[in-house]
Amino acid sequence: MMFPAALALLMTQNHAQAAWTPAVAVVAPNAVVDTILEIKLDPDWHTYWWNAGDNGAPPQFKWTLPTGWKLVGTSLGVPEIIELDGMTSYGYENVMPVLAQFKAPAAPGRHTLRGTITVLVCESVCRAETLNVSTTVEVRPNPPASPRRALPVIPRSVAGWRASAALRTDRIELDVRGTVPDGLDLSKVQFLAETKNAMDYASGATVTAIDGGLRVSFAKSPFWQSNLRELRGLLIAPTGTKWPNGVNAAVVQASISQ
């Protein structure tokens, strides 16, 4: 049983902290700028991916940029499966890594970028937390060579892979054709659906070999909607294994035939 004072403390103090830095501090005009945002969580707390699964909510990002800057994209790191109280969610424990990319302006100068991130964090209770961050990047012609921070591992598509999906009564079959590593332990390949209300998260997915690739099969969600036409998700390689081109988590997307 949680006493009121302990519950009040859980609900009023922050359980997530954010640090935001550019991969390099000085960039050329019009360059695409990689920035690394790390959202660190207190022990036993977690937060959620774009598709939270059975429970939770995705993060929200609002960027406030100087004149001439443009957002290229915001990508989350590879999520994990979180089992809690009979529910299956997709998210992050310890750290949620984020890669935020921007295009620098043509004009040189020292610029401060700002962001507001809202995350739902959960332990025995859940609370929404708002994190305000800023980072500074200098735009300069012919920037000096400098050490580059390692980027977080981000899901990517695999060149040459082709995917198709079909509804089979109460299941979905996703076929991915293309090169896969020899001797792959298919029982340890994970599939996480990014499309909401497509799969029954608790049942998980099975991965089997087919001619020229892999088949992912899973029970459709109890909240399946008949107008769902596109399926998107991640195929996560087993620990110590990578897909072609060094990809750890492969983005797959397909139209669903019914």
Side-chain angles (χ1 to χ4, degrees):
M1 176 179 179
M2 184 172 292
F3 292 100
L7 178 60
L9 183 62
L10 281 176
M11 295 302 291
T12 55
Q13 70 180 18
N14 274 9
H15 301 283
Q17 298 81 37
W20 191 24
T21 56
V24 292
V26 184
V27 301
N30 299 311
V32 172
V33 181
D34 295 327
T35 69
I36 301 128
L37 175 66
E38 290 186 335
I39 298 176
K40 297 183 179 180
L41 305 165
D42 285 352
D44 301 323
W45 287 76
H46 62 269
T47 190
Y48 299 95
W49 186 47
W50 298 126
N51 180 8
D54 283 330
N55 187 42
Q60 298 177 6
F61 299 88
K62 181 180 179 182
W63 305 111
T64 303
L65 305 178
T67 301
W69 285 80
K70 294 181 180 179
L71 174 66
V72 174
T74 305
S75 303
L76 300 183
V78 181
E80 28 185 326
I81 297 175
I82 300 171
E83 305 278 358
L84 188 64
D85 296 332
M87 293 184 289
T88 301
S89 299
Y90 301 153
Y92 307 88
E93 299 174 309
N94 301 317
V95 177
M96 179 172 75
V98 182
L99 175 64
Q101 296 176 298
F102 304 89
K103 185 174 181 182
R110 190 172 176 83
H111 305 269
T112 298
L113 288 67
R114 304 183 190 278
T116 301
I117 303 101
T118 302
V119 291
L120 183 70
V121 295
C122 296
E123 194 242 17
S124 55
V125 294
C126 294
R127 57 174 266 130
E129 296 188 5
T130 299
L131 309 172
N132 295 306
V133 296
S134 64
T135 193
T136 300
V137 181
E138 182 179 354
V139 178
R140 185 198 307 174
N142 304 312
S146 58
R148 181 179 177 85
R149 284 198 62 196
L151 300 182
V153 176
I154 297 297
R156 295 185 286 134
S157 58
V158 175
W161 276 18
R162 306 177 311 281
S164 60
L167 175 62
R168 309 292 188 197
T169 309
D170 61 347
R171 298 189 66 79
I172 305 295
E173 289 183 353
L174 171 66
D175 289 352
V176 179
R177 288 184 164 80
T179 303
V180 297
D182 293 331
L184 186 67
D185 185 351
L186 298 181
S187 68
K188 294 183 178 179
V189 175
Q190 292 182 326
F191 176 76
L192 278 60
E194 186 172 345
T195 303
K196 289 187 66 66
N197 299 328
M199 75 179 291
D200 180 359
Y201 306 113
S203 298
T206 58
V207 181
T208 55
I210 59 174
D211 186 25
L214 303 173
R215 172 167 292 165
V216 182
S217 177
F218 54 86
K220 71 179 185 181
S221 167
F223 306 105
W224 174 273
Q225 297 177 347
S226 59
N227 63 351
L228 191 59
R229 292 289 183 269
E230 292 288 327
L231 176 66
R232 180 182 169 94
L234 304 182
L235 268 177
I236 302 177
T239 302
T241 308
K242 293 185 178 181
W243 304 119
N245 306 324
V247 175
N248 297 76
V251 178
V252 290
Q253 185 166 344
S255 298
I256 304 170
S257 63
Q258 303 191 32

